[in-house]
């Protein structure tokens, strides 16, 4: 794969940082940069055929609606689900989880039920479940992870002996890079009678989300981690759940007939999409999927794996560096450096044009588990090169030397 | 390394960030500051004993970056033996010192080199909260005392 030509499609890299450096962006796990095609799709909608969707019977409205709806199909194919009607647009992963919990989970949870998350969950996939459990007097428990930062399956089987309503798990950890065996988790959970929610926020950019194989009951991701725009994402629901659960929100566009005291609700994903949608966002998501589709799957994996392995290897050789999580991982490396706080590190990196992340990465329980208040994190996107990794290692060594 | 960043991480700050002279918790604590930045996880407690409106003694504990640690250590050292009234202007001055929109030049605010070192935060607005974390809490205390 020609990385230079891919990188040239991302306009942000055409400029230098305010300090006159080349931009080395190593925070794709937080949010990915945008290719020109995504930016063009969004501005093309605003300047070329802007109108609200699902309402007007005039020309731009028709074009806006068909383009919007075509993205549902693209998503369905990209994550391998049966029908586009199982894909509901939301404003992102966090929004998907909150809406699902509020519309469905709190109505189906019974007092004493168990909800399982894992120790490596992002706050987005923990706090909403916590709130639901408090409200319904249900028990939230965390599936422990082992030394390597992988799910402890023995512990999971034991936990599933208690009556479990939901298991909510991330496909890839945004801190450790651990790739969870989602199929194995859903198989165990389903045997125990639990429904499974899969947080695909990280996995989505790796082209590995496969709902049919995973047999997830619910799944969510955000477009912005897939080189798409912010403020848009999806919630997938299996089987006919789209029509069975209560609407995620209420208002215009999702109704059939409305009276003062009673209303009827539509079938299909529109049942959950009240109000004017993030049309430009959805269209941008479509362009993002088109962009990723141009990257051969095998080469995408290879490229991200190569960068990750190289960074892992070079980092492990530096004295005083401690890497969290397993050696085999997807695109993310969290680490600490003896004697240097992650925030001080990231300020030094910023001076050299290198963007790394410092903090708890919205995973405080995991930080507690590893007994670190914060870590530094690098993560890779399709535009990163080996030179980026070498720059990162060079700046790390310089910074270490400065503090010593 | 460029000069700008050397300014932020100059000798005074690096040294202070490793200075544990006033680390700990007071047995006879009467007041406690909890300085916590949920965005980054930096967390300090400052244990104080205040009698007759004078801070008789103080200790700090916690963890965070070099900037927040140094500024907390310096805060602890500075408040010991001073009255709440004496501390008020120092807190105001410090918060102006680290603020990129601060009106006065740093040298007009403080003379002490250790304090002046933190003026470098003006160049790094994203690190201002590191410098001011504990001082913001101290301000709440002295304003309401
Ligand atoms: C694993 C995981 N889950 C959930 C989220 C939340 O995604 P968003 O902020 O787009 O809602 C993130 C984003 O950092 C993530 O990495």
């Amino acid at each position: 794969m020609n990385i230079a030509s891919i990188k040239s499609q991302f306009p942000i890299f055409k400029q230098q940082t305010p300090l006159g450096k080349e931009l080395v962006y190593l925070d794709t796990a937080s949010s990915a940069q945008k290719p020109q095609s995504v930016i063009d799709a969004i501005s093309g909608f605003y300047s070329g055929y802007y109108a609200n969707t699902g309402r007007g019977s005039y020309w731009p409205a028709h074009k806006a609606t068909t383009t919007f709806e075509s993205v549902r199909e693209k998503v369905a194919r990209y994550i391998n689900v049966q029908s586009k009607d199982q894909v509901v647009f939301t404003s992102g992963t966090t929004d998907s989880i909150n809406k699902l919990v509020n519309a469905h989970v709190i109505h189906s949870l019974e007092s004493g039920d168990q909800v399982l998350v894992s120790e490596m969950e992002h706050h987005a996939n923990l706090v909403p479940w916590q709130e639901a459990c408090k409200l319904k007097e249900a028990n939230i428990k965390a599936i422990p992870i082992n030394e390597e930062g992988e799910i402890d399956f023995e512990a999971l089987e034991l936990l599933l002996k208690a009556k479990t309503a939901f298991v909510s798990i991330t496909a890839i950890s945004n801190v450790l890079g651990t790739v969870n065996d989602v199929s194995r988790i859903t198989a165990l959970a389903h045997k125990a009678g639990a429904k499974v929610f899969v947080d695909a926020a990280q996995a989505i950019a790796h082209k590995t989300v496969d709902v049919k194989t995973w047999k997830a009951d619910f799944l969510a991701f955000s477009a912005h981690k897939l080189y798409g725009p912010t403020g848009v994402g999806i919630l997938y629901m299996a089987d006919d759940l789209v029509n069975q659960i209560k609407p995620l929100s209420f208002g215009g566009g999702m109704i059939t007939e409305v009276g003062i005291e009673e209303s009827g609700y539509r079938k299909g994903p529109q049942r959950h999409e009240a109000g004017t949608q993030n049309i430009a966002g959805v269209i941008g998501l479509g362009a993002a999927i088109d962009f990723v589709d141009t990257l051969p799957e095998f080469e995408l994996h290879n490229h991200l794996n190569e960068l990750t392995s190289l960074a892992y290897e070079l980092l492990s050789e530096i004295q005083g560096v401690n890497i969290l999580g397993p050696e085999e991982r997807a695109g993310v490396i969290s680490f600490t450096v003896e004697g240097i706080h992650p925030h001080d590190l990231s300020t030094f990196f910023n001076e050299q044009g290198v963007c790394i992340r410092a903090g708890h990465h919205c995973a405080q329980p995991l930080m507690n588990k590893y007994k670190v208040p914060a870590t530094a994190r690098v993560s890779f996107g399709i535009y990163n090169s080996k030179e980026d990794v070498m720059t990162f290692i060079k700046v790390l060594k310089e910074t270490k030397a400065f503090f010593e | 390394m460029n000069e700008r960043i050397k300014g932020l991480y100059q000798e005074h700050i690096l040294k202070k960030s490793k200075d544990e002279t006033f680390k700990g918790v007071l047995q006879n604590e009467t007041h406690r500051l909890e300085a916590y930045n949920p965005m980054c996880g930096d967390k300090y407690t400052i244990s104080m004993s205040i009698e007759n409106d004078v801070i008789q003694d103080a200790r700090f504990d916690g963890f965070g970056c070099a900037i927040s640690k140094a500024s907390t250590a310096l805060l602890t050292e500075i408040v010991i033996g001073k009255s709440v009234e004496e501390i008020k202007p120092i807190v105001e001055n410090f918060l102006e010192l680290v603020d990129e929109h601060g009106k006065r030049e740093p040298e007009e605010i403080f003379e002490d080199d250790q304090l002046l070192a933190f003026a470098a935060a003006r160049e790094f607005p994203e690190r201002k909260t590191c410098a001011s974390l504990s001082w913001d809490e101290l301000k709440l205390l002295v304003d309401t005392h």
Side-chain angles (χ1 to χ4, degrees), chain A residues 42-365:
Chain A
I42 294 167
S43 63
F45 162 63
Y46 280 128
S47 54
Y49 56 100
Y50 180 78
N52 212 331
T53 51
R55 289 153 171 80
S57 53
Y58 40 81
W59 159 70
H62 179 67
K63 175 147 190 210
T65 305
T66 35
T67 313
F68 181 91
E69 285 302 326
S70 73
V71 178
R72 217 186 286 282
E73 259 175 63
K74 280 181 191 168
V75 172
R77 188 184 36 73
Y78 186 69
I79 63 175
N80 195 21
V81 305
Q82 239 171 354
S83 155
K84 68 175 175 38
D85 292 335
Q86 294 170 314
V87 175
V88 174
F89 291 118
T90 64
S91 67
T93 311
T94 304
D95 187 46
S96 294
I97 301 172
N98 276 280
K99 280 185 167 154
L100 177 69
V101 164
N102 285 322
H104 176 59
V105 174
I106 58 172
H107 298 294
S108 62
L109 266 186
E110 286 170 14
S111 159
D113 275 358
Q114 178 171 263
V115 171
L116 294 181
V117 293
S118 83
E119 283 183 327
M120 65 173 91
E121 295 314 309
H122 188 282
H123 295 163
N125 195 27
L126 167 60
V127 185
W129 298 98
Q130 226 171 52
E131 277 298 313
C133 288
K134 269 194 260 175
L135 192 71
K136 301 306 296 249
E137 294 179 332
N139 305 315
I140 187 160
K141 296 249 170 70
I143 310 162
I145 55 174
N146 63 21
E147 294 277 297
E148 276 74 50
E150 292 156 342
I151 293 288
D152 179 342
F153 276 91
E154 267 176 43
L156 171 59
E157 288 190 42
L158 273 177
L159 281 165
L160 283 169
K161 290 194 193 307
K163 183 176 170 246
T164 307
F166 292 95
V167 175
S168 195
I169 183 88
T170 191
I172 293 179
S173 160
N174 66 312
V175 178
L176 307 172
T178 312
V179 181
N180 285 322
D181 186 345
V182 179
S183 300
R184 189 169 166 198
I185 294 168
T186 47
L188 288 169
H190 286 158
K191 211 167 80 189
K195 292 253 186 264
V196 179
F197 173 89
V198 178
D199 174 350
Q202 290 298 327
I204 198 66
H206 291 269
K207 263 189 151 176
T208 52
V209 177
D210 184 346
V211 175
K212 212 173 258 171
T213 310
W214 287 355
K215 298 196 170 63
D217 299 290
F218 302 98
L219 177 140
F221 72 81
S222 307
H224 72 93
K225 295 195 202 258
L226 183 66
Y227 311 102
T230 54
V232 62
I234 68 109
L235 174 62
Y236 156 83
M237 304 185 213
D239 306 324
D240 194 36
L241 282 164
V242 158
N243 296 318
Q244 288 165 12
I245 75 166
K246 273 182 180 286
L248 299 181
S249 61
F250 301 88
M254 51 75 67
I255 43 77
T256 49
E257 274 172 279
V258 175
I260 291 297
E261 284 168 3
E262 273 298 327
S263 298
Y265 307 130
R266 289 174 69 169
K267 294 242 178 247
Q270 290 81 9
R271 172 185 176 81
H272 302 284
E273 296 169 355
T276 297
Q277 295 298 293
N278 181 355
I279 310 165
V282 168
I283 289 170
L285 167 58
I289 294 176
D290 289 343
F291 167 74
V292 178
D293 271 344
T294 64
L295 312 168
E297 195 172 317
F298 174 73
E299 293 182 30
L300 173 79
H301 288 174
N302 259 6
H303 177 61
L304 294 179
N305 285 346
E306 255 174 44
L307 296 181
T308 314
S309 307
L310 178 65
Y312 188 96
E313 197 183 302
L314 295 175
L315 266 177
S316 334
E317 287 167 4
I318 303 176
Q319 254 214 338
V321 170
N322 178 39
I323 303 175
L324 279 68
E327 189 166 347
E328 197 146 313
R329 56 176 68 220
V332 184
I333 305 177
S334 289
F335 62 96
T336 56
V337 183
E338 228 171 81
I340 315 176
H341 190 278
H343 266 110
D344 298 320
L345 269 182
S346 91
T347 294
F348 273 78
F349 277 100
N350 181 52
E351 291 295 297
Q352 306 302 329
V354 183
C355 313
I356 70 161
R357 187 68 182 280
H360 52 57
H361 318 294
C362 297
Q364 284 182 11

Side-chain angles (χ1 to χ4, degrees), chain A residues 19 21 339 341 343-352 358-360 364 373-374 395 398-399 402-404, chain B residues 1-2 4-6 8-10 14 18 36-42 63-67 124 126-127 130:
Chain A
L19 295 172
K21 303 284 178 186
H341 190 278
H343 266 110
D344 298 320
L345 269 182
S346 91
T347 294
F348 273 78
F349 277 100
N350 181 52
E351 291 295 297
Q352 306 302 329
H360 52 57
Q364 284 182 11
V395 176
E398 283 170 8
T399 308
F402 179 86
F403 276 89
E404 278 158 6
Chain B
M1 289 300 143
N2 63 26
R4 226 169 70 90
I5 196 145
K6 280 191 193 146
L8 182 62
Y9 289 91
Q10 57 187 278
L14 285 183
K18 293 177 190 146
Y36 175 50
N37 182 347
M39 300 307 285
C40 65
D42 286 9
F63 45 77
C65 63
I67 313 292
F124 295 82
E126 72 282 0
R127 301 299 303 274
C130 311

